Amino acid sequence: MNLDATPAASRFESRRRRIEWPTILLAAAIYGGWFATTYFHASLPAWLVAAAGAWLVA
């Protein structure tokens, strides 16, 4: 006997629609940083490109 107030399908929908905003923002920052590093690589010092690239890839 299920004593929960919400049916199983409704609980699944609420779990499925939940967005983890910190994860989305972190992914955007990493992809944005990678784009900026590769776009401006000619005007940045090589050590900075290597350090930023290593941090972004890791």
Side-chain angles (χ1 to χ4, degrees):
M1 181 176 206
N2 189 358
L3 300 177
D4 291 338
T6 57
S10 177
R11 282 187 307 214
F12 176 73
E13 282 296 315
S14 68
R15 238 186 264 152
R16 199 173 121 226
R17 291 185 182 186
R18 192 177 343 172
I19 297 174
E20 295 182 9
W21 288 109
T23 305
I24 299 294
L25 293 173
L26 179 62
I30 290 171
Y31 280 110
W34 180 253
F35 175 75
T37 301
T38 55
Y39 187 78
F40 295 111
H41 77 280
S43 61
L44 296 172
W47 65 268
L48 183 60
V49 172
W55 186 84
L56 289 166
V57 168

